[in-house]
Coordinates of all heavy atoms in Angstrom, one line a residue:
M1 N 20.1 -41.9 2.9 CA 19.7 -41.8 4.3 C 18.4 -41.0 4.5 O 17.6 -41.4 5.3 CB 20.9 -41.1 5.1 CG 20.6 -40.8 6.5 SD 20.5 -42.4 7.5 CE 20.2 -41.7 9.1
P2 N 18.2 -39.8 3.8 CA 17.0 -39.1 3.9 C 15.8 -39.9 3.5 O 14.7 -39.8 4.2 CB 17.2 -37.8 3.1 CG 18.6 -37.7 2.9 CD 19.2 -39.1 2.9
G3 N 15.8 -40.7 2.5 CA 14.7 -41.5 2.1 C 14.3 -42.5 3.2 O 13.1 -42.7 3.4
L4 N 15.3 -43.1 3.8 CA 15.1 -44.1 4.8 C 14.5 -43.4 6.0 O 13.5 -43.9 6.7 CB 16.4 -44.8 5.2 CG 16.3 -45.8 6.4 CD1 15.4 -46.9 6.0 CD2 17.7 -46.2 6.8
L5 N 15.0 -42.2 6.4 CA 14.4 -41.4 7.5 C 13.0 -41.1 7.3 O 12.1 -41.2 8.2 CB 15.3 -40.2 7.7 CG 14.8 -39.3 8.8 CD1 15.0 -40.0 10.2 CD2 15.7 -38.0 8.9
V6 N 12.6 -40.7 6.1 CA 11.3 -40.3 5.7 C 10.4 -41.5 5.9 O 9.2 -41.5 6.4 CB 11.2 -39.7 4.3 CG1 9.7 -39.5 3.9 CG2 11.9 -38.3 4.3
A7 N 10.8 -42.7 5.4 CA 10.0 -43.9 5.5 C 9.8 -44.3 6.9 O 8.7 -44.7 7.3 CB 10.7 -45.0 4.7
V8 N 10.8 -44.2 7.7 CA 10.7 -44.6 9.2 C 9.7 -43.7 9.9 O 8.9 -44.1 10.6 CB 12.1 -44.6 9.8 CG1 12.0 -44.8 11.3 CG2 12.9 -45.8 9.3
V9 N 9.9 -42.4 9.7 CA 9.1 -41.4 10.3 C 7.6 -41.5 9.9 O 6.7 -41.4 10.6 CB 9.6 -40.0 10.1 CG1 8.6 -38.9 10.6 CG2 10.9 -39.8 10.9
G10 N 7.4 -41.8 8.6 CA 6.1 -41.9 8.0 C 5.4 -43.2 8.6 O 4.2 -43.1 9.0
R11 N 6.1 -44.3 8.7 CA 5.5 -45.5 9.3 C 5.2 -45.3 10.8 O 4.2 -45.7 11.3 CB 6.4 -46.7 9.1 CG 6.4 -47.1 7.6 CD 7.2 -48.4 7.4 NE 7.4 -48.7 6.1 CZ 6.6 -49.5 5.4 NH1 5.6 -50.1 5.9 NH2 6.9 -49.7 4.1
W12 N 6.1 -44.6 11.5 CA 5.9 -44.3 12.9 C 4.7 -43.5 13.1 O 3.9 -43.7 14.0 CB 7.2 -43.7 13.5 CG 7.1 -43.5 14.9 CD1 7.3 -44.4 15.9 CD2 6.9 -42.2 15.6 NE1 7.1 -43.8 17.1 CE2 6.9 -42.5 17.0 CE3 6.6 -40.9 15.2 CZ2 6.7 -41.5 17.9 CZ3 6.4 -40.0 16.1 CH2 6.4 -40.2 17.5
A13 N 4.5 -42.4 12.3 CA 3.4 -41.5 12.4 C 2.1 -42.3 12.1 O 1.1 -42.1 12.8 CB 3.5 -40.3 11.5
Y14 N 2.1 -43.2 11.1 CA 0.9 -44.0 10.8 C 0.6 -44.9 12.0 O -0.6 -45.0 12.4 CB 1.2 -44.8 9.5 CG 0.0 -45.7 9.2 CD1 -1.1 -45.1 8.6 CD2 0.0 -47.0 9.4 CE1 -2.2 -45.9 8.3 CE2 -1.0 -47.8 9.1 CZ -2.1 -47.3 8.5 OH -3.2 -48.1 8.2
A15 N 1.6 -45.6 12.5 CA 1.3 -46.5 13.6 C 0.8 -45.7 14.9 O -0.1 -46.1 15.6 CB 2.6 -47.2 14.0
L16 N 1.4 -44.5 15.1 CA 1.0 -43.7 16.2 C -0.5 -43.3 16.1 O -1.3 -43.4 17.0 CB 1.8 -42.5 16.3 CG 1.5 -41.5 17.4 CD1 1.6 -42.1 18.8 CD2 2.3 -40.2 17.3
T17 N -0.9 -42.9 14.9 CA -2.3 -42.5 14.6 C -3.2 -43.7 14.8 O -4.3 -43.6 15.5 CB -2.4 -42.0 13.2 OG1 -1.5 -40.9 13.0 CG2 -3.8 -41.5 12.9
A18 N -2.9 -44.9 14.3 CA -3.7 -46.0 14.5 C -3.8 -46.5 15.9 O -4.9 -46.8 16.4 CB -3.2 -47.2 13.6
L19 N -2.7 -46.5 16.6 CA -2.8 -46.9 18.0 C -3.5 -45.9 18.9 O -4.1 -46.3 19.9 CB -1.3 -47.1 18.5 CG -0.7 -48.4 18.0 CD1 0.8 -48.4 18.4 CD2 -1.4 -49.6 18.3
T20 N -3.4 -44.6 18.6 CA -4.1 -43.6 19.4 C -5.6 -43.8 19.2 O -6.4 -43.6 20.2 CB -3.7 -42.2 18.9 OG1 -2.3 -42.0 19.0 CG2 -4.4 -41.1 19.7
L21 N -6.1 -44.1 18.0 CA -7.5 -44.3 17.8 C -8.0 -45.6 18.5 O -9.2 -45.6 18.9 CB -7.8 -44.4 16.3 CG -7.6 -43.1 15.5 CD1 -7.8 -43.3 14.0 CD2 -8.5 -42.0 16.0
L22 N -7.1 -46.6 18.7 CA -7.6 -47.8 19.3 C -7.3 -47.9 20.8 O -7.8 -48.8 21.5 CB -6.8 -49.0 18.6 CG -7.1 -49.2 17.1 CD1 -6.2 -50.3 16.6 CD2 -8.6 -49.5 16.9
A23 N -6.5 -46.9 21.3 CA -6.1 -46.9 22.7 C -7.3 -46.6 23.6 O -8.2 -45.9 23.3 CB -5.0 -45.9 23.0
D24 N -7.3 -47.2 24.8 CA -8.3 -47.0 25.8 C -8.1 -45.6 26.5 O -9.1 -44.9 26.7 CB -8.3 -48.1 26.9 CG -9.4 -48.0 27.8 OD1 -10.5 -47.6 27.4 OD2 -9.2 -48.4 29.0
R25 N -6.9 -45.3 26.7 CA -6.5 -44.0 27.3 C -5.5 -43.3 26.4 O -4.3 -43.4 26.6 CB -5.9 -44.2 28.7 CG -6.9 -44.7 29.7 CD -6.3 -44.8 31.0 NE -7.2 -45.3 32.0 CZ -7.0 -45.4 33.3 NH1 -5.8 -45.0 33.7 NH2 -7.9 -45.8 34.1
P26 N -6.0 -42.5 25.4 CA -5.1 -41.9 24.5 C -4.1 -40.9 25.1 O -3.0 -40.7 24.5 CB -6.0 -41.3 23.4 CG -7.4 -41.5 23.9 CD -7.4 -42.3 25.1
A27 N -4.5 -40.3 26.2 CA -3.6 -39.3 26.8 C -2.3 -39.9 27.2 O -1.2 -39.4 27.0 CB -4.3 -38.5 27.9
E28 N -2.4 -41.0 27.9 CA -1.2 -41.7 28.4 C -0.4 -42.3 27.2 O 0.8 -42.2 27.2 CB -1.6 -42.9 29.3 CG -2.2 -42.4 30.6 CD -2.7 -43.6 31.5 OE1 -2.5 -44.7 31.0 OE2 -3.3 -43.3 32.5
F29 N -1.1 -42.7 26.2 CA -0.4 -43.3 25.0 C 0.4 -42.2 24.3 O 1.5 -42.3 23.9 CB -1.4 -43.9 24.1 CG -0.7 -44.5 22.9 CD1 0.0 -45.7 23.0 CD2 -0.8 -43.9 21.6 CE1 0.6 -46.2 21.8 CE2 -0.2 -44.4 20.5 CZ 0.5 -45.6 20.6
L30 N -0.3 -41.0 24.2 CA 0.4 -39.9 23.5 C 1.6 -39.3 24.3 O 2.6 -38.9 23.8 CB -0.6 -38.8 23.2 CG -1.6 -39.0 22.1 CD1 -2.6 -37.9 22.0 CD2 -0.9 -39.3 20.8
A31 N 1.5 -39.4 25.6 CA 2.6 -39.0 26.5 C 3.8 -39.9 26.2 O 5.0 -39.5 26.1 CB 2.2 -39.0 27.9
G32 N 3.5 -41.2 26.2 CA 4.6 -42.2 25.9 C 5.2 -41.9 24.5 O 6.4 -42.0 24.3
A33 N 4.3 -41.6 23.5 CA 4.8 -41.4 22.2 C 5.6 -40.1 22.1 O 6.6 -40.0 21.3 CB 3.6 -41.2 21.2
A34 N 5.3 -39.1 22.9 CA 6.1 -37.9 23.0 C 7.5 -38.2 23.5 O 8.5 -37.7 23.0 CB 5.4 -36.8 23.8
V35 N 7.6 -39.1 24.5 CA 8.9 -39.5 25.0 C 9.7 -40.2 24.0 O 10.9 -39.9 23.8 CB 8.7 -40.3 26.3 CG1 10.1 -40.9 26.7 CG2 8.1 -39.5 27.4
V36 N 9.1 -41.1 23.2 CA 9.7 -41.8 22.2 C 10.2 -40.9 21.1 O 11.3 -41.0 20.6 CB 8.8 -42.9 21.6 CG1 9.4 -43.5 20.3 CG2 8.6 -44.0 22.6
A37 N 9.4 -39.9 20.7 CA 9.8 -38.9 19.7 C 11.0 -38.1 20.2 O 11.9 -37.8 19.4 CB 8.6 -38.0 19.4
A38 N 11.0 -37.7 21.4 CA 12.2 -37.0 22.0 C 13.4 -37.8 21.9 O 14.5 -37.3 21.6 CB 11.9 -36.5 23.4
V39 N 13.3 -39.1 22.2 CA 14.5 -40.0 22.2 C 15.0 -40.1 20.7 O 16.2 -40.1 20.4 CB 14.2 -41.3 22.8 CG1 15.3 -42.4 22.5 CG2 13.9 -41.2 24.3
L40 N 14.0 -40.3 19.8 CA 14.4 -40.4 18.4 C 15.1 -39.1 17.9 O 16.1 -39.1 17.1 CB 13.2 -40.7 17.5 CG 12.6 -42.1 17.5 CD1 11.3 -42.2 16.8 CD2 13.7 -43.1 17.0
L41 N 14.5 -38.0 18.3 CA 15.1 -36.7 17.9 C 16.5 -36.5 18.4 O 17.5 -36.1 17.7 CB 14.3 -35.5 18.3 CG 14.7 -34.1 17.9 CD1 14.8 -34.0 16.4 CD2 13.9 -33.1 18.6
T42 N 16.7 -36.9 19.7 CA 18.1 -36.9 20.3 C 19.0 -37.8 19.5 O 20.2 -37.4 19.3 CB 18.0 -37.3 21.7 OG1 17.0 -36.4 22.4 CG2 19.3 -37.1 22.4
A43 N 18.6 -39.0 19.2 CA 19.4 -39.9 18.4 C 19.8 -39.4 17.0 O 20.9 -39.5 16.6 CB 18.7 -41.3 18.3
L44 N 18.8 -38.7 16.4 CA 19.1 -38.2 15.1 C 20.1 -37.0 15.1 O 21.0 -36.9 14.3 CB 17.8 -37.7 14.4 CG 16.9 -38.7 13.9 CD1 15.6 -38.1 13.4 CD2 17.6 -39.5 12.8
V45 N 20.0 -36.2 16.1 CA 20.9 -35.1 16.3 C 22.3 -35.6 16.6 O 23.3 -35.1 16.1 CB 20.4 -34.1 17.4 CG1 21.4 -33.1 17.7 CG2 19.1 -33.4 16.9
A46 N 22.4 -36.6 17.5 CA 23.7 -37.2 17.8 C 24.3 -37.9 16.6 O 25.6 -37.9 16.5 CB 23.5 -38.1 19.0
A47 N 23.5 -38.5 15.8 CA 24.1 -39.2 14.6 C 24.3 -38.3 13.4 O 24.7 -38.9 12.4 CB 23.1 -40.4 14.3
R48 N 24.1 -37.0 13.5 CA 24.3 -36.2 12.3 C 25.7 -36.2 11.9 O 26.6 -36.0 12.7 CB 23.8 -34.8 12.7 CG 23.8 -33.8 11.6 CD 23.4 -32.5 12.0 NE 24.1 -32.0 13.2 CZ 24.2 -30.8 13.6 NH1 23.4 -29.9 13.1 NH2 24.9 -30.5 14.7
P49 N 25.9 -36.4 10.6 CA 27.3 -36.5 10.1 C 28.0 -35.1 10.2 O 27.4 -34.1 9.9 CB 27.2 -37.0 8.7 CG 25.8 -36.6 8.3 CD 25.0 -36.7 9.5
R50 N 29.2 -35.1 10.5 CA 30.0 -33.9 10.6 C 30.9 -33.8 9.3 O 31.3 -34.8 8.7 CB 31.0 -33.8 11.8 CG 30.3 -34.0 13.1 CD 29.7 -32.7 13.5 NE 29.0 -32.9 14.7 CZ 28.2 -32.0 15.2 NH1 27.9 -30.9 14.6 NH2 27.6 -32.2 16.4
L51 N 31.1 -32.6 8.8 CA 31.9 -32.4 7.6 C 33.4 -32.5 8.0 O 33.8 -32.0 9.1 CB 31.7 -31.0 7.0 CG 30.3 -30.9 6.4 CD1 30.1 -29.5 5.9 CD2 30.1 -31.9 5.2
P52 N 34.3 -33.0 7.1 CA 35.7 -33.0 7.4 C 36.2 -31.6 7.5 O 35.8 -30.7 6.8 CB 36.3 -33.8 6.3 CG 35.3 -33.8 5.2 CD 33.9 -33.6 5.9
G53 N 37.2 -31.4 8.3 CA 37.8 -30.1 8.4 C 37.1 -29.2 9.5 O 37.6 -28.1 9.8
G54 N 36.0 -29.6 10.0 CA 35.3 -28.9 11.1 C 34.5 -27.7 10.6 O 34.0 -27.0 11.4
A55 N 34.5 -27.4 9.3 CA 33.8 -26.2 8.8 C 32.3 -26.7 8.5 O 32.1 -27.6 7.7 CB 34.4 -25.7 7.6
P56 N 31.4 -26.0 9.1 CA 30.0 -26.4 8.8 C 29.6 -26.0 7.3 O 30.2 -25.0 6.8 CB 29.2 -25.6 9.8 CG 30.0 -24.5 10.3 CD 31.4 -25.0 10.1
R57 N 28.7 -26.7 6.7 CA 28.4 -26.4 5.3 C 27.7 -25.1 5.2 O 28.0 -24.3 4.3 CB 27.4 -27.5 4.9 CG 27.0 -27.4 3.4 CD 26.1 -28.5 3.0 NE 26.6 -29.8 3.5 CZ 26.0 -30.9 3.6 NH1 24.7 -31.0 3.2 NH2 26.5 -32.0 4.0
A58 N 26.9 -24.7 6.1 CA 26.2 -23.4 6.0 C 27.3 -22.2 6.2 O 27.1 -21.2 5.6 CB 25.2 -23.2 7.1
G59 N 28.3 -22.5 6.9 CA 29.3 -21.4 7.1 C 30.1 -21.1 5.8 O 30.3 -20.0 5.5
R60 N 30.4 -22.2 5.1 CA 31.0 -21.9 3.8 C 30.1 -21.3 2.8 O 30.5 -20.4 2.0 CB 31.5 -23.3 3.2 CG 32.8 -23.8 3.9 CD 33.3 -25.0 3.2 NE 32.5 -26.1 3.6 CZ 32.6 -27.3 3.0 NH1 33.5 -27.5 2.0 NH2 31.9 -28.3 3.4
W61 N 28.8 -21.7 2.8 CA 27.8 -21.1 1.9 C 27.7 -19.6 2.2 O 27.7 -18.8 1.3 CB 26.5 -21.8 2.1 CG 25.5 -21.4 1.2 CD1 25.4 -21.5 -0.2 CD2 24.2 -20.7 1.5 NE1 24.3 -21.0 -0.7 CE2 23.5 -20.5 0.3 CE3 23.7 -20.3 2.7 CZ2 22.3 -19.9 0.3 CZ3 22.5 -19.7 2.7 CH2 21.8 -19.5 1.5
T62 N 27.5 -19.2 3.5 CA 27.3 -17.8 3.8 C 28.6 -17.0 3.5 O 28.5 -15.9 3.1 CB 26.9 -17.7 5.3 OG1 27.9 -18.3 6.1 CG2 25.6 -18.2 5.6
A63 N 29.8 -17.6 3.7 CA 31.0 -16.9 3.4 C 31.1 -16.6 1.9 O 31.5 -15.6 1.5 CB 32.2 -17.7 3.8
G64 N 30.6 -17.6 1.1 CA 30.6 -17.4 -0.4 C 29.6 -16.3 -0.8 O 29.9 -15.4 -1.6
L65 N 28.5 -16.2 -0.1 CA 27.5 -15.1 -0.4 C 28.1 -13.8 0.0 O 27.9 -12.8 -0.7 CB 26.2 -15.4 0.4 CG 25.3 -16.5 -0.2 CD1 24.1 -16.6 0.7 CD2 24.8 -16.1 -1.6
R66 N 28.7 -13.8 1.2 CA 29.3 -12.5 1.6 C 30.4 -12.0 0.7 O 30.4 -10.8 0.4 CB 29.9 -12.8 3.0 CG 29.9 -11.5 3.9 CD 30.4 -11.8 5.3 NE 29.5 -12.7 6.0 CZ 29.8 -13.9 6.5 NH1 31.0 -14.4 6.4 NH2 28.9 -14.7 7.1
E67 N 31.2 -12.9 0.2 CA 32.3 -12.5 -0.8 C 31.7 -12.0 -2.1 O 32.1 -11.0 -2.6 CB 33.2 -13.7 -1.0 CG 34.3 -13.4 -2.0 CD 35.2 -12.4 -1.5 OE1 35.4 -12.2 -0.3 OE2 35.8 -11.6 -2.4
R68 N 30.6 -12.7 -2.5 CA 30.0 -12.2 -3.8 C 29.3 -10.9 -3.6 O 29.4 -10.0 -4.5 CB 28.9 -13.2 -4.2 CG 28.4 -13.0 -5.6 CD 27.6 -14.1 -6.0 NE 26.2 -14.0 -5.4 CZ 25.2 -14.8 -5.6 NH1 25.4 -16.0 -6.3 NH2 24.1 -14.6 -5.0
A69 N 28.8 -10.6 -2.4 CA 28.2 -9.3 -2.2 C 29.2 -8.2 -2.1 O 29.0 -7.1 -2.5 CB 27.4 -9.3 -0.8
R70 N 30.4 -8.5 -1.6 CA 31.5 -7.5 -1.6 C 32.0 -7.1 -3.0 O 32.4 -6.0 -3.2 CB 32.6 -8.0 -0.7 CG 32.4 -8.0 0.7 CD 33.6 -8.4 1.5 NE 33.2 -8.6 2.9 CZ 33.5 -9.7 3.6 NH1 34.0 -10.7 3.1 NH2 33.1 -9.7 4.9
R71 N 31.9 -8.1 -3.9 CA 32.4 -7.8 -5.3 C 31.4 -6.9 -6.1 O 31.8 -6.3 -7.0 CB 32.6 -9.1 -6.0 CG 33.8 -9.8 -5.6 CD 34.1 -11.0 -6.4 NE 32.9 -11.9 -6.3 CZ 32.9 -13.2 -6.4 NH1 34.0 -13.8 -6.6 NH2 31.8 -13.9 -6.3
R72 N 30.1 -6.9 -5.6 CA 29.1 -6.2 -6.4 C 29.3 -4.7 -6.1 O 29.7 -4.3 -5.1 CB 27.7 -6.6 -5.9 CG 27.4 -8.0 -6.0 CD 27.1 -8.3 -7.5 NE 26.8 -9.8 -7.6 CZ 26.8 -10.4 -8.7 NH1 27.0 -9.8 -9.8 NH2 26.5 -11.7 -8.7
R73 N 29.0 -3.9 -7.1 CA 29.0 -2.5 -7.0 C 27.6 -1.9 -6.8 O 26.7 -2.5 -7.2 CB 29.7 -1.9 -8.2 CG 31.1 -2.2 -8.4 CD 31.7 -1.5 -9.6 NE 33.1 -2.0 -9.8 CZ 33.8 -1.6 -10.9 NH1 33.2 -0.8 -11.8 NH2 35.0 -2.0 -11.0
V74 N 27.6 -0.7 -6.3 CA 26.3 0.0 -6.2 C 25.9 0.5 -7.7 O 26.8 1.0 -8.4 CB 26.5 1.3 -5.3 CG1 25.2 2.1 -5.3 CG2 26.9 0.9 -4.0
P75 N 24.7 0.2 -8.1 CA 24.3 0.6 -9.4 C 24.4 2.1 -9.7 O 24.2 2.9 -8.8 CB 22.8 0.1 -9.5 CG 22.4 -0.3 -8.2 CD 23.6 -0.4 -7.3
R76 N 24.7 2.4 -10.9 CA 24.9 3.8 -11.2 C 23.6 4.5 -11.3 O 22.6 4.0 -11.8 CB 25.6 3.9 -12.6 CG 25.9 5.3 -13.1 CD 26.8 5.2 -14.4 NE 26.0 4.5 -15.5 CZ 25.4 5.2 -16.4 NH1 25.4 6.5 -16.4 NH2 24.7 4.5 -17.4
Q77 N 23.5 5.7 -10.7 CA 22.2 6.5 -10.7 C 22.1 7.1 -12.1 O 23.0 7.7 -12.6 CB 22.3 7.5 -9.6 CG 22.4 7.0 -8.2 CD 21.2 6.2 -7.8 OE1 20.1 6.5 -8.1 NE2 21.4 5.0 -7.2
V78 N 20.9 7.0 -12.6 CA 20.6 7.5 -14.0 C 19.6 8.6 -13.9 O 18.6 8.4 -13.2 CB 20.1 6.4 -14.9 CG1 19.8 6.9 -16.3 CG2 21.2 5.3 -15.0
D79 N 19.9 9.7 -14.5 CA 19.0 10.9 -14.5 C 18.1 10.7 -15.8 O 18.6 10.8 -16.9 CB 19.8 12.2 -14.5 CG 18.9 13.4 -14.5 OD1 17.7 13.2 -14.2 OD2 19.4 14.5 -14.8
P80 N 16.8 10.5 -15.6 CA 15.9 10.4 -16.8 C 15.8 11.7 -17.6 O 15.4 11.7 -18.7 CB 14.6 10.0 -16.2 CG 14.6 10.4 -14.8 CD 16.0 10.4 -14.4
D81 N 16.1 12.8 -17.0 CA 16.0 14.1 -17.7 C 17.3 14.6 -18.2 O 17.5 15.7 -18.7 CB 15.5 15.2 -16.7 CG 14.1 14.9 -16.3 OD1 13.3 14.4 -17.1 OD2 13.7 15.3 -15.1
A82 N 18.3 13.7 -18.2 CA 19.7 14.1 -18.8 C 19.6 14.3 -20.3 O 18.7 13.8 -21.0 CB 20.7 13.0 -18.5
A83 N 20.5 15.1 -20.8 CA 20.5 15.4 -22.2 C 20.8 14.1 -23.0 O 21.6 13.3 -22.6 CB 21.7 16.4 -22.5
G84 N 20.1 14.0 -24.1 CA 20.2 12.8 -24.9 C 19.3 11.7 -24.6 O 19.3 10.7 -25.3
R85 N 18.6 11.8 -23.5 CA 17.6 10.7 -23.2 C 16.2 11.1 -23.6 O 15.7 12.1 -23.3 CB 17.6 10.5 -21.7 CG 18.9 9.9 -21.2 CD 18.7 9.4 -19.7 NE 19.9 8.8 -19.2 CZ 20.3 7.6 -19.4 NH1 19.6 6.8 -20.2 NH2 21.4 7.1 -19.0
P86 N 15.6 10.2 -24.4 CA 14.3 10.5 -24.8 C 13.3 10.4 -23.7 O 13.4 9.5 -22.8 CB 14.0 9.5 -25.9 CG 14.9 8.4 -25.6 CD 16.1 9.0 -24.9
R87 N 12.3 11.3 -23.7 CA 11.3 11.3 -22.6 C 10.2 10.2 -23.0 O 9.9 10.0 -24.2 CB 10.6 12.6 -22.5 CG 11.5 13.7 -22.0 CD 12.0 13.5 -20.6 NE 10.8 13.6 -19.7 CZ 10.8 13.0 -18.5 NH1 11.8 12.4 -18.1 NH2 9.7 13.1 -17.7
P88 N 9.7 9.5 -22.0 CA 8.6 8.6 -22.4 C 7.4 9.3 -22.9 O 7.1 10.4 -22.4 CB 8.3 7.9 -21.1 CG 9.0 8.7 -20.0 CD 10.0 9.5 -20.7
R89 N 6.7 8.8 -23.9 CA 5.6 9.4 -24.5 C 4.3 8.7 -24.1 O 4.3 7.5 -23.8 CB 5.7 9.4 -26.0 CG 7.0 10.1 -26.5 CD 6.9 11.6 -26.4 NE 8.1 12.2 -26.8 CZ 8.5 13.4 -26.3 NH1 7.9 14.0 -25.4 NH2 9.6 13.9 -26.8
A90 N 3.2 9.4 -24.2 CA 1.9 8.8 -24.0 C 1.5 8.0 -25.2 O 2.1 8.2 -26.3 CB 0.9 9.9 -23.7
P91 N 0.6 7.1 -25.1 CA 0.1 6.4 -26.3 C -0.3 7.3 -27.4 O -0.9 8.4 -27.1 CB -1.0 5.5 -25.8 CG -0.9 5.5 -24.3 CD -0.1 6.7 -23.9
G92 N -0.1 6.9 -28.6 CA -0.5 7.8 -29.8 C -2.0 7.9 -29.9 O -2.8 7.3 -29.2
G93 N -2.4 8.6 -31.0 CA -3.8 8.8 -31.3 C -4.5 7.6 -31.9 O -5.7 7.6 -32.1
V94 N -3.8 6.6 -32.4 CA -4.4 5.5 -33.0 C -4.9 4.5 -32.0 O -4.1 4.1 -31.1 CB -3.4 4.8 -34.0 CG1 -4.1 3.6 -34.6 CG2 -2.9 5.8 -35.0
L95 N -6.2 4.1 -32.0 CA -6.7 3.2 -31.0 C -6.5 1.8 -31.5 O -6.6 1.5 -32.7 CB -8.2 3.5 -30.8 CG -8.5 4.9 -30.2 CD1 -10.0 5.1 -30.2 CD2 -7.9 5.1 -28.9
P96 N -6.4 0.9 -30.6 CA -6.2 -0.5 -31.0 C -7.5 -1.1 -31.6 O -8.6 -0.6 -31.3 CB -5.9 -1.3 -29.7 CG -6.1 -0.3 -28.6 CD -6.3 1.1 -29.1
V97 N -7.3 -2.1 -32.4 CA -8.4 -2.7 -33.1 C -9.4 -3.4 -32.1 O -8.9 -4.0 -31.2 CB -7.9 -3.8 -34.1 CG1 -9.1 -4.5 -34.7 CG2 -7.0 -3.2 -35.1
G98 N -10.7 -3.1 -32.2 CA -11.6 -3.7 -31.3 C -11.9 -2.9 -30.1 O -12.6 -3.3 -29.2
W99 N -11.3 -1.7 -29.9 CA -11.4 -1.0 -28.7 C -12.7 -0.2 -28.8 O -13.1 0.4 -29.8 CB -10.3 0.0 -28.6 CG -10.4 0.8 -27.3 CD1 -9.9 0.5 -26.1 CD2 -10.9 2.1 -27.1 NE1 -10.1 1.4 -25.2 CE2 -10.8 2.5 -25.8 CE3 -11.6 3.0 -28.0 CZ2 -11.3 3.7 -25.3 CZ3 -12.0 4.2 -27.5 CH2 -11.9 4.5 -26.1
R100 N -13.5 -0.2 -27.7 CA -14.7 0.5 -27.6 C -14.7 1.3 -26.3 O -14.2 0.8 -25.3 CB -15.9 -0.5 -27.6 CG -16.1 -1.2 -28.8 CD -17.3 -2.1 -28.8 NE -17.4 -2.9 -30.0 CZ -18.2 -3.8 -30.2 NH1 -19.1 -4.1 -29.2 NH2 -18.2 -4.5 -31.3
P101 N -15.4 2.4 -26.3 CA -15.5 3.2 -25.0 C -16.3 2.5 -24.0 O -17.2 1.7 -24.4 CB -16.1 4.5 -25.4 CG -16.7 4.3 -26.7 CD -16.0 3.1 -27.4
A102 N -16.0 2.7 -22.8 CA -16.7 2.0 -21.7 C -18.2 2.6 -21.6 O -18.4 3.8 -21.8 CB -16.1 2.3 -20.4
A103 N -19.1 1.7 -21.4 CA -20.5 2.1 -21.3 C -20.7 2.8 -20.0 O -20.3 2.3 -19.0 CB -21.4 0.9 -21.5
G104 N -21.4 3.9 -20.0 CA -21.5 4.6 -18.8 C -22.6 5.4 -18.7 O -23.4 6.0 -18.5

């Protein structure tokens, strides 16, 4: 269905562009095209398939995310200065190969 919808909308947009360029009064033509677009949008919304059981797809998805978030725990706070933890060190005295001081 989505592929068919894309093809129909693409052809409709192409025809609208071509007819607008060829129209004597493009403002009136575009007004009519806007009415047709509104009717098509209304038809698409009315023909939207419903899921069985009455539950919307997004509702189940958000409920799953909410449940997963409830199972997560707050990460443990870690003290970098605690006993037994090595302190980060600055780079050593050995320079990398090919390193040169900046010209200044």
Side-chain angles (χ1 to χ4, degrees):
M1 177 70 179
L4 177 64
L5 180 64
V6 169
V8 169
V9 170
R11 288 183 190 267
W12 183 77
Y14 177 76
L16 176 65
T17 304
L19 290 174
T20 303
L21 293 175
L22 297 174
D24 187 33
R25 294 183 177 185
E28 293 174 3
F29 181 73
L30 287 176
V35 170
V36 171
V39 169
L40 284 175
L41 181 64
T42 305
L44 285 174
V45 169
R48 187 177 53 166
R50 303 281 179 193
L51 291 177
R57 185 178 311 166
R60 287 188 281 169
W61 182 68
T62 55
L65 285 178
R66 208 174 296 121
E67 180 61 32
R68 192 171 78 183
R70 286 185 187 124
R71 287 185 301 213
R72 303 284 181 193
R73 294 184 183 173
V74 176
R76 186 172 60 98
Q77 298 295 318
V78 177
D79 182 13
D81 294 327
R85 293 194 178 275
R87 296 293 297 157
R89 304 284 178 210
V94 179
L95 297 175
V97 175
W99 182 85
R100 294 184 186 171

